[in-house]
Amino acid sequence: MKIKNIKVFKIDIPLIEGSYKWAHDNEVEKFDTSIVVIETDNNIVGLGEVCTLGSSYLPAYSKGVRSGILEIGKALIGKDPSNISNINLEMEKKLKGHPYIKSPIDMACWDIIGKKYQLPLWKLLGGKFGEDIHLYRAISQESPEIMKQKVIEYKKEGYSKFQLKVGGEYQEDIERIKSVSSELDQTNILVADANTGWKCHEAIKVVKQIENIDVYIEQPCETYRDCVEIRKKTSNPFILDESIDSLNNFMQAYYDGAMDIINLKISKLGGIYKSKQIRDLCVELKIPMTIEDSWGGDIATAAISHLAHSTPEKFRFSSTDFNSYNSLSYTEGSPKRTDGRMRASDNYGLGVELDFSKLGEPEFIIN
């Protein structure tokens, strides 16, 4: 089996709520996502997706995805997509860094492997744990009262885990956390995700003011050093996200005792292959994870579901279903949320079929 061609599509995904806001005054009204379709010489088709959450969240941007695939794609034509380690080595050889560019190609190759061997991806990744996956709901940064009302409504939809987008003006963030916390009980989980938005002195004031609230603190500051300093000053459970962008950084954080939980984002690490490496190491080291991606639609959500469902439940802190935030669906078979939970498909590969009528013409084809 060999890669015959690589097609890349660009689509815009609008949000049901109209916009999404987080730290550093970031706001997005629609997401530019790249869909990768890999065709093989035996007519198996693999699907991948990457959505970068704008250009100012991580060192990644949507146009860079497509220009980067043009840079590396030709070298993959004629390669066996089921030889996943060699595919990753070839991509790294052609382009240093830029893991987000490689992620949808890696994802599409995993989809092909599942279809070739007629197995769902979760089985290839280690087997299924539990009946379903508990999801968190991200609450876009608004006034404390609006955020509280959104949490009340999402609780009615079955969510029990909530991730508040803070990292704004720290005094208002304290009110956001207190306001939302007042609506939750012991069965709920609350995460205050600053997305690197606080300066160290601001983060210190926040954690001191909320030390008696049952809330997880996530990535308060931009630098790893500052996050470690805040970690020392709070008794609240601590999550690292943006700082964990490689296996080496994860190991450094583990040896430093820098976190209780990590956020494992597929595209931040370069795809399912490298995400699985860190996932398995986290299980071995007893580090729970939120398994997700930066953003995405149906395909990215399917990939998240398979990686999460193949993770032992006690190390699966949470996950997310980005396709429920979006007003555009472009596949059949993608996971659907029910009562704040989702399941990975039992169909082969990722378990989704692309509706090409929703995509238009490809941006380019590499063959």
Side-chain angles (χ1 to χ4, degrees):
M1 182 170 61
K2 296 179 180 179
I3 295 175
K4 184 171 66 175
N5 61 59
I6 302 172
K7 297 178 181 178
V8 177
F9 297 82
K10 171 193 179 299
I11 58 173
D12 289 328
I13 302 180
L15 289 158
I16 292 173
E17 291 189 352
S19 68
Y20 182 74
K21 302 173 185 176
W22 68 101
H24 305 292
D25 295 318
N26 281 310
E27 180 177 3
V28 174
E29 295 179 353
K30 60 183 179 181
F31 287 95
D32 177 336
T33 192
S34 296
I35 307 296
V36 170
V37 178
I38 295 180
E39 296 182 354
T40 68
D41 60 355
N42 60 349
N43 298 317
I44 297 178
V45 176
L47 307 177
E49 178 184 13
V50 66
C51 185
T52 62
L53 195 57
S55 300
S56 56
Y57 170 54
L58 292 172
Y61 67 109
S62 55
K63 291 180 182 178
V65 173
R66 296 184 283 274
S67 62
I69 293 174
L70 280 171
E71 186 78 13
I72 64 179
K74 196 70 176 177
L76 302 178
I77 302 301
K79 297 291 190 298
D80 182 353
S82 67
N83 197 343
I84 194 67
S85 57
N86 278 2
I87 290 291
N88 275 269
L89 286 171
E90 189 66 33
M91 289 193 291
E92 189 64 24
K93 184 170 71 174
K94 298 301 293 184
L95 180 66
K96 297 296 183 186
H98 301 281
Y100 66 104
I101 291 169
K102 300 159 187 173
S103 182
I105 294 174
D106 172 270
M107 193 182 295
C109 289
W110 279 99
D111 191 26
I112 289 169
I113 295 169
K115 290 171 179 174
K116 176 183 178 180
Y117 294 105
Q118 299 186 339
L119 294 170
L121 190 54
W122 58 259
K123 191 173 285 289
L124 294 170
L125 296 175
K128 185 179 284 186
F129 293 87
E131 292 299 316
D132 48 30
I133 304 158
H134 288 259
L135 303 169
Y136 77 80
R137 189 72 189 191
I139 308 300
S140 175
Q141 190 178 106
E142 306 282 355
S143 70
E145 184 59 31
I146 290 175
M147 295 179 83
K148 180 172 75 172
Q149 289 303 314
K150 285 186 176 181
V151 166
I152 292 171
E153 292 303 313
Y154 283 125
K155 281 183 71 175
K156 295 176 183 177
E157 294 184 12
Y159 287 100
S160 61
K161 302 180 180 185
F162 303 95
Q163 184 195 73
L164 298 187
K165 291 301 177 182
V166 289
E169 199 283 314
Y170 77 91
Q171 291 175 322
E172 189 172 23
D173 284 335
I174 293 169
E175 291 307 310
R176 290 179 172 115
I177 295 166
K178 289 181 176 180
S179 178
V180 169
S181 163
S182 69
E183 294 295 330
L184 303 181
D185 57 40
Q186 292 182 345
T187 67
N188 300 132
I189 288 176
L190 180 61
V191 176
D193 181 11
N195 286 120
T196 77
W198 293 323
K199 298 293 187 293
C200 199
H201 70 94
E202 295 170 334
I204 291 171
K205 291 183 178 181
V206 173
V207 299
K208 292 298 182 185
Q209 287 290 316
I210 64 171
E211 60 185 355
N212 294 321
I213 295 176
D214 186 8
V215 60
Y216 292 73
I217 306 300
E218 181 172 335
Q219 194 72 36
C221 304
E222 187 167 4
T223 69
Y224 173 70
R225 176 192 173 279
D226 284 350
C227 285
V228 171
E229 288 303 308
I230 301 305
R231 160 78 159 160
K232 295 174 182 176
K233 292 177 170 61
T234 180
S235 59
N236 294 78
F238 207 82
I239 304 172
L240 285 181
D241 180 358
E242 288 86 348
S243 291
I244 308 297
D245 58 5
S246 68
L247 180 58
N248 285 341
N249 285 348
F250 167 72
M251 291 306 302
Q252 182 66 56
Y254 171 74
Y255 286 122
D256 290 344
M259 74 287 177
D260 301 293
I261 297 165
I262 68 163
N263 273 14
L264 194 158
K265 287 183 166 69
I266 293 173
S267 63
K268 182 175 66 175
L269 298 168
I272 295 170
Y273 179 75
K274 291 187 177 180
S275 296
K276 181 182 183 298
Q277 290 178 334
I278 294 183
R279 188 278 305 269
D280 293 344
L281 192 54
C282 281
V283 171
E284 182 68 22
L285 297 174
K286 311 297 188 289
I287 302 291
M289 296 156 277
T290 291
I291 296 177
E292 57 173 357
D293 210 331
S294 296
W295 201 269
D298 291 345
I299 298 171
T301 300
I304 292 166
S305 72
H306 285 282
L307 188 61
H309 223 151
S310 61
T311 301
E313 291 175 278
K314 66 179 180 179
F315 302 114
R316 198 168 68 211
F317 177 68
S318 191
S319 195
T320 195
D321 58 329
F322 286 126
N323 59 355
S324 75
Y325 295 70
N326 305 327
S327 60
L328 173 67
S329 177
Y330 51 86
T331 70
E332 292 291 332
S334 63
K336 302 299 181 186
R337 169 179 48 83
T338 303
D339 294 329
R341 304 181 183 196
M342 70 176 176
R343 297 180 178 182
S345 172
D346 291 332
N347 293 330
Y348 303 152
L350 290 170
V352 299
E353 295 294 330
L354 199 56
D355 182 351
F356 284 94
S357 69
K358 302 285 184 69
L359 303 188
E361 294 298 315
E363 292 282 296
F364 55 85
I365 302 174
I366 303 171
N367 48 37

